[in-house]
Amino acid sequence: MHYVDNYLPTTQTKSAKMEKVGIGAVDDHWVATLEVPFHRIKYTFEVIGNDGSHKIVGDRGIYDFNKKNLEADGSYFRVPYFHLIDMDTTPEWVKKTVWYQIFPERFANGDKSNDPVGTKPWNPQDHPTRDAFYGGDLQGVLDHLDYLKELGINGIYFCPVFKASSNHKYDTVDYLDIDPNFGDKDLFAKVINEAHKRGIKVMLDAVFNHIGVNSMQWQDVVENGPKSRFADWFHINSYPVEPYHKPTKDKLAPYETFAFEKTMPKLNTANPEVQDYLLEIATYWVKYFDIDAWRLDVANEVDHHFWKRFHKAVTEIKPDFYIVGEIWHSARPWLNGDEFSGVMNYPFTLQVEEHFFKHTLSAQKLVEQLTDQLMMYRDQTNQAMLNTLDSHDTARIKTVAGENEELALQAMTFIFMQTGSPCIYYGTEMGMSGDNDPDCRKPMDWEKKYSPVWQEVHELVEFRLKYASTLGQGTTTLEVTKAGVIKVTRKRENTITAYFNTTGKDQNLTIDPQLSQNYQDGVLAKDGYAIVVE
């Protein structure tokens, strides 16, 4: 690269040799770090091919490399001025956080007096139905904060806790109240305060794409039709809005919903009244309860204009506030510093699942595609991604791994070695199984504490936090050895090298690992991993 300040002549350019940092599915990735003392820069690329060709790749095309073309102003790309307010900054604390996702209705029943009618006995072996209640609540979380501290995590991600009709609470009735089956605001405040005392951050789930059919706003529309003062709060195609029917070839549904869920009418977030209402909610829980983060449900179906207002509102209260969107695809438009800190990193983690569990992706293809994924975003964005292999929306990793606990732990460890903030779904440390929703939402199996699986997860969490600087912010190199073993190299304060044997047979590896599974006497066995720290 050749570069110079925008207002200096191109005869004064400096040069920087680019480093090849990864091989993707289609492209190789090269990087150089440039210093910009005056906050602006112009730069161009000098490329020498293996065939001896010598070119300039500039802003207006590709030219032969010579002095005239190198000094031509039109050959240079430009950053006019790099404003601090335009920079994509992400919270530093997130890069040193291991999250633990809690589905409140199934974590622990600490107060039987608030159990809903028909609450079932707590049985981790049950296969829950969509409408079942087991009595999990905030008192149960409060009672187990010391357990979470002992496990080692330092962030709790709560599925919705606000008043709602269902067990999952994604059909909100009142965003400004805690669901009475979970407790009340005083109890919730105590949970947050006690978590903070233990060094644990708290992230809540914001369901702003849609609201529940039992909400006051929607019921007013049901009763008053187009005369309702909330009629413009929704995307309504025809009246009456009930009964709901799914769209057909010839007829639209009476109103837009999340997916085709009639109990979740979609909010019109372009309406200033809706925006103000939702921003009041977003800031209320930050100002008065000191939450640290919002996870945004169905974030890609809400307009960018609203998310920009949302970002400004919460970061004005807490500059290091963490905002993570639920987006299952490439998320560049949301990750420019004025909307989200990061997203749930599904394009990354789903490829891990395809290789480790489904065996539909080779080790080489996995490494190439993950490298491409890393190069898609800025470093600080990758560092703020939320990396999880399972959740309330997906089958549990042990089930996807065919009940092979070693394979599940191997894949989990691979995620913990990556850039991004790792997240454990409640019960994974207990070796819990579960198929797709609702089976993945079984009551927590508290009898499995201190089992071998628990110990391995505990050690993994401790390792991640011990080397948080390198694993949270270090460089990442992914490759496959000649023997087919996946090698992950992280560098910053330490050099951490992790090996993962997914070949199905023993592989010789002479190392002295600090953390390992199925490694002994220089042999890394099937489903094994070994991590070396230098």
Side-chain angles (χ1 to χ4, degrees), residues 117-137:
V117 175
T119 294
K120 299 182 67 175
W122 197 269
N123 182 4
Q125 307 310 317
D126 265 3
H127 295 280
T129 62
R130 291 198 177 277
D131 300 323
F133 286 87
Y134 289 87
D137 50 34

Side-chain angles (χ1 to χ4, degrees), residues 141-360:
V141 176
L142 184 63
D143 294 343
H144 289 89
L145 285 178
D146 285 337
Y147 162 79
L148 295 175
K149 182 68 176 176
E150 185 179 8
L151 179 64
I153 62 93
N154 56 352
I156 297 173
Y157 154 32
F158 281 108
C159 288
V161 296
F162 307 129
K163 187 176 181 180
S165 306
S166 64
N167 54 33
H168 55 72
K169 310 302 177 190
Y170 283 93
D171 53 345
T172 317
V173 170
D174 187 350
Y175 293 96
L176 292 171
D177 202 6
I178 298 295
D179 192 277
N181 297 143
F182 290 166
D184 57 24
K185 288 181 182 177
D186 288 341
L187 178 57
F188 180 64
K190 190 172 183 181
V191 169
I192 298 236
N193 291 336
E194 290 298 320
H196 284 168
K197 284 180 185 177
R198 292 163 175 79
I200 298 173
K201 302 285 188 179
V202 177
M203 176 161 64
L204 293 188
D205 209 326
V207 189
F208 290 168
N209 173 69
H210 50 269
I211 199 168
V213 288
N214 292 324
S215 64
M216 173 270 292
Q217 294 90 338
W218 182 250
Q219 285 303 306
D220 194 80
V221 172
V222 171
E223 183 177 343
N224 298 306
K227 294 181 180 179
S228 169
R229 70 186 182 96
F230 298 109
D232 290 337
W233 280 43
F234 302 94
H235 298 270
I236 298 173
N237 298 319
S238 61
Y239 292 98
V241 292
E242 290 185 350
Y244 176 83
H245 61 81
K246 290 185 179 180
T248 65
K249 181 180 179 182
D250 303 313
K251 191 175 183 181
L252 292 173
Y255 56 92
E256 304 294 323
T257 65
F258 163 65
F260 296 111
E261 294 290 340
K262 65 180 181 180
T263 60
M264 300 179 182
K266 182 176 174 62
L267 288 164
N268 176 16
T269 51
N271 182 333
E273 286 185 11
V274 175
Q275 290 189 12
D276 291 344
Y277 170 68
L278 296 177
L279 292 176
E280 179 186 359
I281 294 155
T283 54
Y284 175 80
W285 295 98
V286 183
K287 283 191 288 190
Y288 299 112
F289 293 84
D290 198 27
I291 67 167
D292 305 288
W294 278 114
R295 180 263 188 187
L296 309 174
D297 190 59
V298 202
N300 56 340
E301 295 187 26
V302 176
D303 59 274
H304 291 281
H305 179 268
F306 172 72
W307 288 135
K308 286 178 168 64
R309 287 194 67 192
F310 176 93
H311 178 276
K312 185 173 186 293
V314 295
T315 55
E316 280 180 349
I317 302 168
K318 246 185 183 181
D320 65 346
F321 196 83
Y322 180 46
I323 306 169
V324 59
E326 182 201 15
I327 295 180
W328 289 65
H329 52 80
S330 174
R332 278 175 173 168
W334 292 269
L335 295 172
N336 290 311
D338 57 351
E339 293 186 50
F340 306 160
S341 315
V343 296
M344 299 185 78
N345 206 6
Y346 287 113
F348 193 94
T349 55
L350 288 175
Q351 291 177 89
V352 174
E353 182 178 305
E354 287 177 11
H355 173 70
F356 282 83
F357 302 150
K358 298 180 179 179
H359 311 297
T360 55

Side-chain angles (χ1 to χ4, degrees), residues 98-103 157 159 170 203 205 295 326 328 344-354 357-358 386-405 407-409 411-413 415-416 421-437 439-442 444 453 457 460:
V98 175
W99 294 97
Y100 187 92
Q101 183 187 359
I102 292 178
F103 192 84
Y157 154 32
C159 288
Y170 283 93
M203 176 161 64
D205 209 326
R295 180 263 188 187
E326 182 201 15
W328 289 65
M344 299 185 78
N345 206 6
Y346 287 113
F348 193 94
T349 55
L350 288 175
Q351 291 177 89
V352 174
E353 182 178 305
E354 287 177 11
F357 302 150
K358 298 180 179 179
L386 187 71
N387 292 340
T388 182
L389 275 176
D390 54 0
S391 72
H392 66 289
D393 283 328
T394 66
R396 288 183 173 273
I397 54 174
K398 185 177 177 180
T399 296
V400 182
E403 300 302 312
N404 181 341
E405 191 66 73
L407 176 57
L409 288 168
M412 185 177 177
T413 303
I415 287 292
F416 268 64
S421 193
C423 182
I424 301 167
Y425 186 42
Y426 83 95
T428 295
E429 77 278 21
M430 306 297 198
M432 287 179 64
S433 300
D435 216 323
N436 288 315
D437 164 28
D439 199 50
C440 58
R441 302 172 181 180
K442 294 176 181 178
M444 176 72 153
V453 176
V457 173
L460 181 59

